[in-house]
Amino acid sequence: MFEDDPHDEGAAVVAAAGEALQALCQELNLDEGSAAEALDDFTAIRGNYSLEGEVIHWLACSLYVACRKSIIPTVGKGIMEGNCVSLTRILRSAKLSLIQFFSKMKKWMDMSNLPQEFRERIERLERNFEVSTIIFKKFEPIFLDIFQNPHEETPKLPRSRKQRRTPCTVKDLFNFCWTLFVYTKGNFRMIGDDLVNSYHLLLCCLDLIFANAIICPNRRDLLNPSFKGLPSDFHTADFRAPEEPPCIIAVLCELHDGLLVEAKGIKEHYFKPYISKLFDRKILKGECLLDLSSFTDNSKAVNKEYEEYVLTVGDFDERIFLGADAEEEIGTPRKFTGDTPLGKLTAQANVECNLQHHCEKKSFAPSTPLTGRRYLREKEAAITPVASATQSVSRLQSIVTGLKNAPSEQLVNIFESCMRNPMENIMKVVKEIGETFCQHYTQSTDEQPGSHIDFAVNRLKLAEILYYKILETVMVQETRRLHGVDMSVLLEQDIFHRSLMACCLEIVLFAYSSPRTFPWIIEVLNLQPFYFYKVIEVVIRSEEGLSRDMVKHLNSIEEQILESLAWNHSSALWEALQASANKVPTCEEVSQDKDDNPVIL
């Protein structure tokens, strides 16, 4: 028998792919242009690479890229990116989970040589997915702490459309609360991939729903009678709803790893004004959101608005966490484990394992580097990602408690003891860095959306306090070591202050799990990696309050600089080597205790 012609085999695969793509596009109601472009790209890639796995999954990747390139004119003579087909719909039709999509999409981008802008879009999408997955895992137990268990309530009986409306169930409330959260989060782009801010926004949504359950007549049956945030007289016969909606933000922060100051800031400056805007636009209505006459309309309106958002702005429909097939579509565990039949436990365990593996690869905590191990604290007990993030911020705030973002009296005395008082110049450098930081932090770019100025000012203030605290510690140590030698030489080095301030800003950004990861800070401050590297050990030795993860993070940056960043063609390292007549220090000189070495850049 003759072997099949490889050209015939390839043609058969392309033909089958064309049929599969046509069926997929018909299901999605896609335009012919996007379908043709997706098939052309798939054919070209398959001609150069071996595509393992199901063809339909690779077609989904190709189709997603084609859809993102599509531009649709709008009524107002504007244009809209995409063709009104969400990523969730594409993946659902192709039976491809989000975790599988990210894995295949990275390979597809490499094979297609897609531009950096598109790669950054996928990175943002993946981070948003990770944040949402973590937040949803926190949402379930907090909801069950405040409200009744949806799994334990009696199912709704089917009714005709002519029948009167029925009160919302706990499950309806669960879905409404999550949808309101993801819709609100989507409209604050600076919050979407920020774990700490997203978590506090979730607490605000839960606080709002709780307040409405309390003030709404005959809806207290939705509440968990053992919740610690209930009014003290809640279980008495003469309980009356308070005139002002109660606030349980403080209780939720205490019980569920929140930061009270941060959560209150989100509620007052972002959440409350936004909810008022939704009432003004008639998206939300009624004296009570859960009232019999308004809940159904409120739920439909919020879902409709969110659907429009997903089609025009977002890619990832986060309501799929609520679906019965969530574990297949995303990889997240089911909403209520009591629903899961025993026969599905093995499959679910595999999915949870995949999710765990995915999140571990993209962990918010850095891996332990080979250098700087001697500075690591003892390993802390295993905690959730949200608890880890909020504890990092809490640890940072405890370090700077009671301090001001200005030189202390002791530091001022050190400045005044110098032959030339450097205080004015130092404060000028810090101010310039602060202005540059705020400008870039609030500015939208292709890589990420800009944050609100309030967030920038808050982060900057923490960094300034930390900067002056560490500077004071360093100067006290140097004064003791050098026994009265004039400190002007060190304090007049602008590069030292710029590097130290940049390091403090990096610590703050890391504590908040900011998507602006290193080397973002040195890029916006136009600082050489070589100089940043030189202050890392100074900071770690001078500030004992840094958490284990913070120290690991700084050490990982140290390695990153040593491995690559310090060796680029414009690096200050080459000038330093030239100035030392190319005399590279020996291993013994580098490894010796640095306590006897001055802090000079």
Side-chain angles (χ1 to χ4, degrees), residues 178-216:
W178 178 254
T179 306
L180 180 64
F181 163 68
V182 295
Y183 174 54
T184 306
K185 178 167 69 77
N187 281 274
F188 290 114
R189 293 182 65 217
M190 76 290 288
I191 288 178
D193 53 6
D194 186 311
L195 181 59
V196 175
N197 285 338
S198 293
Y199 179 59
H200 290 136
L201 184 64
L202 174 71
L203 297 186
C204 292
C205 288
L206 287 161
D207 172 67
L208 175 70
I209 301 302
F210 171 83
N212 278 268
I214 285 285
I215 64 175
C216 191

Side-chain angles (χ1 to χ4, degrees), residues 48-87:
N48 295 320
Y49 298 94
S50 174
L51 301 178
E52 297 180 356
E54 296 186 37
V55 169
I56 192 72
H57 292 169
W58 293 110
L59 284 172
C61 293
S62 183
L63 193 58
Y64 173 74
V65 176
C67 288
R68 287 300 100 198
K69 291 179 182 177
S70 177
I71 293 177
I72 296 178
T74 61
V75 175
K77 295 185 178 180
I79 57 172
M80 183 180 72
E81 182 186 338
N83 49 5
C84 294
V85 177
S86 70
L87 172 63

Side-chain angles (χ1 to χ4, degrees), residues 578-596:
Q578 194 172 17
S580 64
N582 291 324
K583 183 184 177 183
V584 180
T586 64
C587 181
E588 289 77 10
E589 290 172 329
V590 173
S591 300
Q592 70 182 5
D593 190 351
K594 298 182 181 180
D595 286 343
D596 295 330

Side-chain angles (χ1 to χ4, degrees), residues 321-335:
F321 285 100
L322 303 172
D325 299 324
E327 66 267 30
E328 286 84 11
E329 294 183 344
I330 283 188
T332 184
R334 293 178 69 95
K335 302 185 300 305

Side-chain angles (χ1 to χ4, degrees), residues 451-462:
S451 288
H452 194 278
I453 186 64
D454 289 350
F455 290 142
V457 171
N458 174 270
R459 310 298 189 256
L460 175 62
K461 184 178 179 181
L462 284 174

Side-chain angles (χ1 to χ4, degrees), residues 357-374:
H357 179 63
H358 178 80
C359 288
E360 281 175 357
K361 288 192 295 182
K362 297 278 289 183
S363 175
F364 288 98
S367 58
T368 306
L370 297 175
T371 60
R373 286 180 181 270
R374 63 188 182 281

Side-chain angles (χ1 to χ4, degrees), residues 300-593:
K300 286 181 179 178
V302 170
N303 273 281
K304 180 174 178 290
E305 290 291 317
Y306 181 65
E307 284 165 10
E308 290 181 8
Y309 163 79
V310 170
L311 292 177
T312 56
V313 181
D315 279 319
F316 165 40
D317 188 336
E318 297 172 67
R319 291 175 303 176
I320 58 176
F321 285 100
L322 303 172
D325 299 324
E327 66 267 30
E328 286 84 11
E329 294 183 344
I330 283 188
T332 184
R334 293 178 69 95
K335 302 185 300 305
F336 303 107
T337 53
D339 288 345
T340 310
L342 290 175
K344 285 193 175 182
L345 287 178
T346 304
Q348 180 171 324
N350 291 335
V351 172
E352 291 186 31
C353 180
N354 290 337
L355 179 66
Q356 181 71 19
H357 179 63
H358 178 80
C359 288
E360 281 175 357
K361 288 192 295 182
K362 297 278 289 183
S363 175
F364 288 98
S367 58
T368 306
L370 297 175
T371 60
R373 286 180 181 270
R374 63 188 182 281
Y375 295 118
L376 291 179
R377 315 283 183 263
E378 286 188 16
K379 195 165 186 178
E380 294 154 1
I383 51 178
T384 65
V386 167
S388 176
T390 55
Q391 284 181 21
S392 290
V393 177
S394 184
R395 174 76 69 94
L396 180 62
Q397 290 176 341
S398 68
I399 292 174
V400 301
T401 298
L403 302 177
K404 297 180 180 179
N405 57 333
S408 67
E409 185 177 347
Q410 184 177 17
L411 188 55
V412 170
N413 291 336
I414 293 175
F415 291 159
E416 291 175 346
S417 68
C418 297
M419 291 181 64
R420 298 174 299 277
N421 191 331
M423 183 169 168
E424 183 179 347
N425 183 60
I426 288 173
M427 296 188 76
K428 180 183 176 183
V429 170
V430 172
K431 182 181 178 183
E432 289 175 354
I433 289 175
E435 290 173 351
T436 303
F437 171 78
C438 289
Q439 177 188 347
H440 285 86
Y441 196 85
T442 56
Q443 186 176 3
S444 292
T445 65
D446 292 336
E447 291 82 13
Q448 55 206 350
S451 288
H452 194 278
I453 186 64
D454 289 350
F455 290 142
V457 171
N458 174 270
R459 310 298 189 256
L460 175 62
K461 184 178 179 181
L462 284 174
E464 287 176 342
I465 297 173
L466 188 60
Y467 161 80
Y468 284 116
K469 183 177 187 293
I470 293 175
L471 180 60
E472 180 178 331
T473 303
V474 170
M475 296 318 301
V476 168
Q477 291 173 349
E478 289 296 287
T479 302
R480 288 173 183 166
R481 188 180 66 83
L482 297 174
H483 305 295
V485 173
D486 183 34
M487 293 288 107
S488 299
V489 176
L490 171 60
L491 291 173
E492 287 178 349
Q493 294 187 67
D494 282 3
I495 193 64
F496 168 67
H497 299 292
R498 289 173 57 79
S499 303
L500 181 57
M501 186 64 187
C503 192
C504 292
L505 283 165
E506 178 62 29
I507 289 171
V508 174
L509 292 175
F510 172 74
Y512 278 90
S513 299
S514 172
R516 295 168 178 81
T517 54
F518 190 84
W520 180 85
I521 191 63
I522 61 173
E523 289 173 351
V524 300
L525 297 181
N526 195 24
L527 180 69
Q528 289 272 0
F530 176 66
Y531 294 125
F532 188 94
Y533 165 82
K534 295 186 76 173
V535 299
I536 289 177
E537 189 164 359
V538 173
V539 169
I540 294 175
R541 283 192 292 137
S542 301
E543 183 47 68
E544 295 182 353
L546 297 179
S547 68
R548 177 184 174 88
D549 276 349
M550 286 179 184
V551 174
K552 286 170 69 178
H553 175 64
L554 290 176
N555 286 336
S556 68
I557 290 176
E558 193 174 37
E559 286 198 337
Q560 190 179 344
I561 293 172
L562 284 173
E563 288 173 357
S564 58
L565 297 179
W567 305 100
N568 61 47
H569 70 280
S570 59
S571 175
L573 174 61
W574 305 118
E575 295 177 11
L577 286 172
Q578 194 172 17
S580 64
N582 291 324
K583 183 184 177 183
V584 180
T586 64
C587 181
E588 289 77 10
E589 290 172 329
V590 173
S591 300
Q592 70 182 5
D593 190 351

